[in-house]
Structure formats: C-alpha cells, structure tokens
Amino acid sequence: MTIHRADIFISGGGIAGQVAACVFATKGFSVVMADPVPPVTEADLDGSDLRSTAFLRPARELFDACGLWPVLAPHAKPLDQLQVIDTTGWPPVERERRSFRADDMGDDPFGWNLMNWVVRRELWSYLQGQARITALYGTGFKSIVQRTGEVIVGLDNGDQVRARLGVAADGKFSPLREAVGIEVSTTRYGQKSLAFTVTHDTPHENISTEIYNEGGPFTIVPLPDMDGRHASAIVWMNLGPRAVELMEMDVPEFEEVMYHRSTGLLGHMRLEGRRSIWPIITQTADQLVSGRVAVMAEAAHALPPIGAQGLNTSLNDLIALAALAEAHRGDLGSSEMMQAYEKARKSDIAQRARVIDLFNRVARSGEATLQAVRLAGLKTVHDVTPLRKGVMRAGLGPR
C-alpha cells in the first residue's frame, strides 16, 4: 500500500477535475487526483465525449491565470454572436430570429468553443508535467474517513490518500458525495440529447445558433475547419423515443432529417464520426459541503445543455473554491472555509437550475400556448436593451 500525502484530494479526472487540479497546483497546493477510468483522448474510441463546450469569459480568465489557455487556444473557435431562431411545425418554419452580439458586452467574444474530448486530451498531456499534481488514472475512490484536521481516503487499488481538503468532482453519480452523505434532488424530463460533429456548406461566421422547436433546441456551435471544410458541433435535444430513433437512423436519412431541423441554415450538413446520446436531467446536491469535503461540478449540479451553463457553472464553483482555499491556506478545509463555499455557490446554482428548468419546459413544448410564450419571451428579452444586457451578463456568470 502506498500512502499519498497532499493538500487536496480530487475525486474525478474529467474536465472539471483536471482543471481543478491545475488551478490548485498553480496556487501552490499539492494535489492527488484519482479517476477509475483513463481519459479517452480520441474521437473514434468508445467512451469518447463527443460534446463540445463553449467556455465563457470567466472560464477563459481562469485558464489564463493557471496557464492552460496556451494549451487550449489552438483548438478553440471564438463565439461572436448567439443567434436564436424560433420555429414551429414540421418541416420547421421560422417565426422569428434574434441575435445577441458579444460586442454589446465589450471587446471579447462571448466564449470559445472546444470539443470535450480534445480538452480532455490536452489537459491530460499538460498534467503529466506538473510537479505538484499526482494523477492516478485507472484508480478510483473507495472510502473516506474524516478527522479533525484531515481526510483519509481509501482508493480501490489499496492505496491511501491523506489530505486537508477533499473535492468531489466525480460526476452526477459521485461516489465521494454519496460516501459523505450528501443527497441530491433530481428532475427528469423524458428527454435525451444527441451530440455529434458536422461539416457544412455555408460558413458559420463564428455564430452559435439555437433553433427552437418541439422536443427542445437544436444547437449549432462553431468549430475550427476540418480538412478545409466548415465545421460545427451539434447538440440536438428531443423526447427520449425520438432521440433513440435518430441515434439509430441510417446516416443518409439522418442527414436529411437534420437538414430540415436546422432550417437549412448552413446548407447541407454531413455527419462526421459517431453520434452519442445523453439523458437530460436537472440535478442539484442538497448541500455543497460535508466536513472537509466540497462538492463541485456535476457532482453538485447537472443542468440541461442550454445556454452553455453546464460546465461554465462548474468552473464558477472552482473559481469560488480556489479563491477560498487561497484565503484559508493556513486552515485549508476548515469549517469557516467550507461554510463560505456553501454560501458563495448555493444560491447561484439554485437560481440557474430554476431558470434552465423553466426555459427547457417552455422550449421543448409543442403546445400552442407555450410556443406563444416562447416567442413573446424571445422578443422581449432581445428588444428591451437593459433586459438584453442583463440576461447576457447573468449568462456569462461571475467575473
């Protein structure tokens, strides 16, 4: 048995856990990160995360501060506008279109889009050279004992970690969260989302587009060109049975349906690689701390993929937790620090979960009344300038 000693133990080596390890190490803390599954760093392998993430401005600032942005920037595509198109019927008929421009909020883009599997690949490579980080891939969390001044973590290979702070960043079914007795509240919608990559005829002009229709939004997010062809990442939400039907559909038929669902916005779309399918839920942890363990990212909240709120909300957790760790360097993991983290993040998470839940219910509905509400809401939010800027600021998150 090997005993690892560190300031911080992180359960979970996904994007949130990887970034957390980098941020804490940059601030001078020693970190042990464990994940039972080695990272999948190629798009065509089973288990590859084919989703993309639009990292918003606060995330970019975090990446700059911890040295990650030079690693990620070559794979990123800036997002200069968010375009929302409301449609009805099948094939979808456009009723209204509004654009939200990043230059309303300053000189920078709203965010930068990257494929999740690429982010994991680049972060995994970066972690290998960081002296303060011990990354134990293929080794998972098994047990925890909390003492006055430390946590003692048992790993599934028989090793032990002694740390002053434990961080659960191990997903919506977090074993560390469950081990410390934190329960969750879950809302299920009967929806699933498809995630995949396409190339297309018409340039995307760095515009991210959400097209609303029954079942949920069809979201097009710009990517860098692929072999000289315009490319985008797609997240396509539907009621569960329809999503499964689309997942299993032959490629030519799938591409035809996709063309209609996209209103032909970017011309013909060609599927590149595999499709993946993901359940849509809202899930929030009933509390964010237990003793010396803090819960963050999807262990703390899982949200429908609307408005780029999922992983960006996770990084907002990290921004708050890292700042508190730095401020409490001498009493890391203390009751005062943990209570401050709960206070800093609990309300923001709850508010975002409520807003996204309501928005998803309206966006997915085929009922005429709710479609009318959706259309009226889009016009109001966009056309009233103070409201538009307020919503954009709220969406970007804390700076």
Side-chain angles (χ1 to χ4, degrees):
M1 178 183 74
T2 300
I3 298 178
H4 305 272
R5 299 184 184 275
D7 295 315
I8 299 169
F9 168 73
I10 300 173
S11 178
I15 293 175
Q18 289 176 312
V19 176
C22 293
V23 169
F24 286 126
T26 299
K27 293 182 179 296
F29 296 103
S30 57
V31 179
V32 172
M33 182 185 71
D35 192 294
V37 181
V40 180
T41 57
E42 295 182 34
D44 294 333
L45 296 180
D46 289 342
S48 179
D49 188 345
L50 301 180
R51 297 171 295 179
S52 71
T53 297
F55 291 99
L56 303 179
R57 291 177 186 176
R60 161 67 188 274
E61 293 169 3
L62 181 67
F63 294 154
D64 274 330
C66 71
L68 285 175
W69 187 241
V71 175
L72 298 176
H75 309 283
K77 195 67 176 176
L79 307 178
D80 296 326
Q81 291 185 49
L82 170 62
Q83 181 174 237
V84 179
I85 299 175
D86 191 74
T87 71
T88 187
W90 187 267
V93 175
E94 180 177 330
R95 298 194 298 178
E96 202 68 51
R97 181 186 303 208
R98 292 291 190 274
S99 291
F100 298 81
R101 298 179 57 90
D103 55 17
D104 262 1
M105 304 296 294
D107 296 331
D108 289 332
F110 281 125
W112 294 262
N113 196 51
L114 294 100
M115 295 301 298
N116 285 7
W117 71 267
V118 172
V119 174
R120 293 201 66 180
R121 180 191 70 196
E122 296 303 312
L123 294 182
W124 177 82
S125 177
Y126 182 83
L127 288 177
Q128 309 312 303
Q130 304 308 303
R132 293 191 180 96
I133 301 172
T134 301
L136 303 176
Y137 282 106
T139 304
F141 166 84
K142 184 178 181 180
S143 64
I144 186 169
V145 175
Q146 299 215 51
R147 292 185 172 175
T148 302
E150 66 176 356
V151 295
I152 304 173
V153 175
L155 303 178
D156 62 12
N157 67 349
D159 285 0
Q160 188 180 91
V161 182
R162 290 176 173 259
R164 293 190 289 158
L165 172 67
V167 178
D170 44 4
K172 59 175 68 75
F173 304 110
S174 167
L176 177 52
R177 182 195 64 216
E178 292 181 1
V180 297
I182 297 177
E183 297 185 349
V184 296
S185 301
T186 304
T187 301
R188 304 185 187 279
Y189 304 98
Q191 291 169 287
K192 296 181 184 296
S193 68
L194 297 182
F196 51 92
T197 301
V198 297
T199 54
H200 42 82
D201 298 332
T202 305
H204 48 56
E205 305 293 354
N206 293 356
I207 300 172
S208 181
T209 303
E210 294 184 354
I211 305 173
Y212 293 102
N213 196 275
E214 184 175 354
F218 181 98
T219 303
I220 306 169
V221 190
L223 290 174
D225 288 355
M226 297 176 60
D227 299 324
R229 294 173 294 173
H230 309 301
S232 293
I234 308 295
V235 176
W236 186 357
M237 292 172 60
N238 275 287
L239 296 179
R242 178 57 170 165
V244 172
E245 180 185 356
L246 290 164
M247 180 73 178
E248 297 174 349
M249 194 175 285
D250 290 341
V251 171
E253 183 182 0
F254 179 79
E255 290 179 341
E256 180 69 16
V257 175
M258 177 171 56
Y259 173 80
H260 291 299
R261 183 62 181 82
S262 69
T263 68
L265 183 71
L266 297 178
H268 180 65
M269 290 181 166
R270 290 163 292 275
L271 179 65
E272 302 289 341
R274 300 184 301 112
R275 290 160 275 186
S276 62
I277 190 166
W278 304 80
I280 302 300
I281 64 170
T282 292
Q283 178 175 285
T284 55
D286 294 346
Q287 60 195 71
L288 298 180
V289 300
S290 177
R292 288 181 167 271
V293 174
V295 181
M296 62 166 281
E298 283 202 332
H301 46 77
L303 306 175
I306 295 174
Q309 293 303 296
L311 191 48
N312 285 282
T313 302
S314 299
L315 296 182
N316 290 339
D317 299 342
L318 175 57
I319 290 168
L321 186 60
L324 286 166
E326 196 167 30
H328 290 266
R329 190 175 295 274
D331 62 339
L332 183 67
S334 66
S335 176
E336 180 183 359
M337 173 188 160
M338 304 307 273
Q339 290 174 8
Y341 174 64
E342 178 95 22
K343 182 178 180 181
R345 294 301 301 142
K346 186 74 171 180
S347 176
D348 180 68
I349 291 169
Q351 290 174 11
R352 288 178 192 277
R354 284 194 296 269
V355 169
I356 295 297
D357 172 84
L358 176 60
F359 197 86
N360 184 43
R361 292 177 187 277
V362 173
R364 70 175 182 161
S365 178
E367 297 180 13
T369 301
L370 287 181
Q371 288 189 345
V373 169
R374 186 176 71 208
L375 181 61
L378 171 61
K379 291 179 178 179
T380 300
V381 166
H382 179 274
D383 296 350
V384 178
T385 299
L387 181 58
R388 180 177 73 247
K389 291 187 176 183
V391 168
M392 290 161 67
R393 278 192 297 270
L396 289 174
R399 297 180 67 86

